[in-house]
Amino acid sequence: MAAIIGRKVGMTQIFAEDGARVPLTVIEAGPCPVVQVKTDERDGYAAVQLGFGAAKAKHINKPEQGHLEKAGAPLMRHLHEFSPEDLGLEEGEELSEGQLVTVDRFIPGSYVKVTGTSKGKGFAGTIKRHNFASGPKSHGSHNVRRPGSIGAAAYPARVFKGIRMAGHMGARQVTQRGLQVVDRDPERNILLVKGAVPGAVGSIVYVRPD
């Protein structure tokens, strides 16, 4: 098993031998070059930084260009750090800068967790955002979709932090766990996982062992 950066391509489906429909998410995963290897002695913690997504020089600032050139890696749009445990390194196995991480390291039948940014839905009320119940819709009711009481009056004379209210919905980091790897296609850098993953089509996702 390994960890890898990818892009959500979309969803498809296959049919099992018993005729059951299996929903699949298609992820274009890697190849991800190792850009930096961090150690406890030098950096204070152990991690491996991977890159993904080819980029033009005009889209990468000078410090990041130097960082990538030092590792012998091409210009990459996305960089992300993974722990050695996420990369599934065996005892004595080490990754070196410039080495590629591909979907070959994923085993069909194993389970992964996928982290992405959920779809932004803008400003939403409490019914849509927090599953509040609606009020009565007849006999002159003026409280159909309002949130109701949000606190006491004279004391404490303020709204406590954490009260579920209307506001911006979505566009936050979400991790979906327990997704099974159904298949992989190393030639096209494709990873197929069972179920849905967070984010819109084309968004960046991070796949790690679960």
Side-chain angles (χ1 to χ4, degrees), residues 7-14 21-28 119 176 179 191-202:
R7 178 179 287 105
K8 181 177 177 179
V9 176
M11 293 197 70
T12 184
Q13 63 185 12
I14 61 172
R21 185 180 67 88
V22 180
L24 299 177
T25 299
V26 182
I27 300 175
E28 178 191 350
K119 292 181 179 180
Q176 182 66 46
L179 300 173
L191 193 65
L192 298 176
V193 297
K194 182 179 179 180
V197 305
V201 171

Side-chain angles (χ1 to χ4, degrees), residues 52-203:
F52 175 75
K56 296 180 180 179
K58 64 180 181 179
H59 295 144
I60 306 295
N61 59 36
K62 293 292 184 180
E64 196 165 302
Q65 286 186 32
H67 176 63
L68 292 165
E69 290 172 2
K70 182 181 177 182
L75 296 181
M76 312 297 290
R77 186 177 293 273
H78 305 283
L79 301 177
H80 191 77
E81 287 185 3
F82 296 96
S83 68
E85 293 77 18
D86 285 339
L87 288 164
L89 299 179
E90 300 177 358
E91 188 174 351
E93 183 184 4
E94 294 183 357
L95 290 175
S96 57
E97 294 181 358
Q99 187 175 344
L100 287 179
V101 176
T102 66
V103 294
D104 278 330
R105 298 179 68 95
F106 290 87
I107 304 170
S110 59
Y111 287 86
V112 296
K113 54 186 175 183
V114 179
T115 300
T117 302
S118 63
K119 292 181 179 180
K121 302 183 184 301
F123 187 91
T126 53
I127 290 179
K128 179 176 180 179
R129 192 180 186 206
H130 299 297
N131 288 325
F132 277 24
S134 62
K137 297 180 175 63
S138 61
H139 298 290
S141 172
H142 295 287
N143 188 22
V144 178
R145 296 184 69 89
R146 295 178 182 177
S149 174
I150 58 174
Y155 180 82
R158 64 187 176 89
V159 178
F160 285 116
K161 289 183 178 180
I163 296 295
R164 294 179 298 168
M165 299 174 68
H168 188 85
M169 182 178 179
R172 62 187 181 90
Q173 182 174 289
V174 179
T175 299
Q176 182 66 46
R177 304 189 62 176
L179 300 173
Q180 187 178 27
V181 176
V182 176
D183 202 359
R184 61 189 180 180
D185 187 347
E187 293 183 0
R188 295 189 294 170
N189 302 311
I190 293 296
L191 193 65
L192 298 176
V193 297
K194 182 179 179 180
V197 305
V201 171
S203 61

